[in-house]
Amino acid sequence: SDHSKTSAALAEIRSTVEALEGPPASLLAELKETAAGGLKEILGVEDDDAAMDRLWSAVKTVWASKWSDRAFLSRKSLGVPESDLVMATLLMRLERAEQAFVLHTANPITGDKGEVWGEVVEGLGETLVGNERGRPLAFKGCKKTGSIEILSFPSKATAWKAPDGEGGSYMARSDSNGEDLEDFAGAGLYESVSSVKCVQQPVDYSESRLTWDFEWRRKALSALLSLSLLVEEEEGGVSQDVEGCLVNGEIVLLQARTQVIHQH
């Protein structure tokens, strides 16, 4: 069938990208600079070359994700030319997140700029954007009054956690221009890859503060609402998608970008 032929062709493209032998000179210089900052100790490998190999492999996997079946078919269905979609990769230290969140400073369902919409999960952000069964904790907050409304409680069956041990990892995060293309939001279509394999664990919600600790949850969601307002203000009042995590009870802001709001 045409679909199976397309899927096979896309798999071949991904394999070709992942088989690239060496990074371009400019990227090689960036990888060496990163590796020189103690990266081998972070990744738990013996030398800088091994550390760079881990980073390079993660970068290639992110690039290759442009050619996944889902991403390709999404572009095709919306008539987005392949040459318009450009993929970059951010190399970021992987935080040992206890919870991860995404915030939209305008309600993505209604377009209401007076409401913030947020989602929170146990573990790393990959739990949130992946295809694991279940829902995140979802809430909306009123910018004017600061009131919080819980829309759903978390039920994701599993959570991704940072690698065990004293070391850590770097995350190669996809950063396409999909969010900047008219009528096309590429967020979630492309992969983010840890240079050291993360750990997937079942979630026991009887032990989750998102579920049972009302006062902690209230303070945490209020703090996330405040963060969304600060980021939006910093960006000149333009609605934002905000990503971050909680580490030892402290909020870590990972990135923010202009929110694509679809008119209904």
Side-chain angles (χ1 to χ4, degrees):
S1 69
D2 289 343
H3 176 73
S4 61
K5 289 179 180 179
T6 299
S7 184
L10 291 171
E12 186 172 346
I13 293 173
R14 293 195 301 274
S15 295
T16 300
V17 173
E18 291 171 351
L20 292 172
E21 291 188 355
S26 58
L27 178 57
L28 179 60
E30 290 186 30
L31 293 180
K32 284 185 175 180
E33 183 180 349
T34 301
L39 184 62
K40 62 183 179 182
E41 288 80 14
I42 294 172
L43 300 184
V45 294
E46 294 182 357
D47 54 44
D48 291 344
D49 287 341
M52 284 192 291
D53 286 345
R54 291 259 184 109
L55 288 180
W56 175 228
S57 177
V59 168
K60 289 188 293 183
T61 303
V62 173
W63 286 349
S65 70
K66 176 182 176 179
W67 304 105
S68 71
D69 289 32
R70 178 168 168 256
F72 174 78
L73 293 174
S74 294
R75 295 192 297 273
K76 183 178 179 180
S77 67
L78 291 172
V80 176
E82 293 300 324
S83 58
D84 285 1
L85 197 288
V86 180
M87 178 72 74
T89 304
L90 298 174
L91 294 177
M92 304 175 65
R93 178 77 178 267
L94 180 65
E95 296 287 346
R96 292 186 175 277
E98 294 161 353
Q99 292 86 22
F101 63 83
V102 62
L103 306 169
H104 309 285
T105 66
N107 188 315
I109 307 300
T110 65
D112 186 350
K113 294 187 177 182
E115 285 184 343
V116 172
W117 180 288
E119 295 179 328
V120 189
V121 293
E122 291 290 341
L124 300 169
E126 281 55 44
T127 309
L128 190 56
V129 301
N131 293 320
E132 283 75 16
R133 293 182 294 111
R135 294 183 176 185
L137 182 148
F139 71 96
K140 63 180 180 180
C142 178
K143 292 180 179 178
K144 185 176 181 179
T145 66
S147 62
I148 300 288
E149 179 183 350
I150 302 292
L151 302 173
S152 68
F153 281 93
S155 60
K156 291 278 188 179
T158 59
W160 287 98
K161 298 286 188 176
D164 294 330
E166 295 182 1
S169 181
Y170 264 74
M171 181 69 73
R173 296 175 64 94
S174 59
D175 190 33
S176 80
N177 67 330
E179 290 79 16
D180 302 323
L181 301 177
E182 187 174 357
D183 296 327
F184 180 73
L189 289 176
Y190 311 108
E191 291 191 30
S192 293
V193 182
S194 174
S195 53
V196 176
K197 186 174 178 59
C198 294
V199 181
Q200 192 174 27
Q201 300 175 342
V203 179
D204 181 358
Y205 284 105
S206 69
E207 299 291 334
S208 170
R209 302 185 82 177
L210 289 176
T211 304
W212 60 264
D213 193 334
F214 173 83
E215 186 61 20
W216 179 89
R217 185 176 66 237
R218 183 189 65 79
K219 290 181 179 179
L221 298 186
S222 293
L224 294 182
L225 176 59
S226 297
L227 171 67
S228 68
L229 300 182
L230 289 172
V231 173
E232 186 177 68
E233 182 181 0
E234 183 68 21
E235 294 301 317
V238 177
S239 300
Q240 298 289 306
D241 290 329
V242 183
E243 297 178 26
C245 60
L246 297 172
V247 181
N248 296 324
E250 298 293 329
I251 295 176
V252 178
L253 174 62
L254 296 175
Q255 66 176 8
R257 56 192 168 204
T258 301
Q259 180 181 350
V260 176
I261 304 175
H262 296 285
Q263 301 299 321
H264 297 276

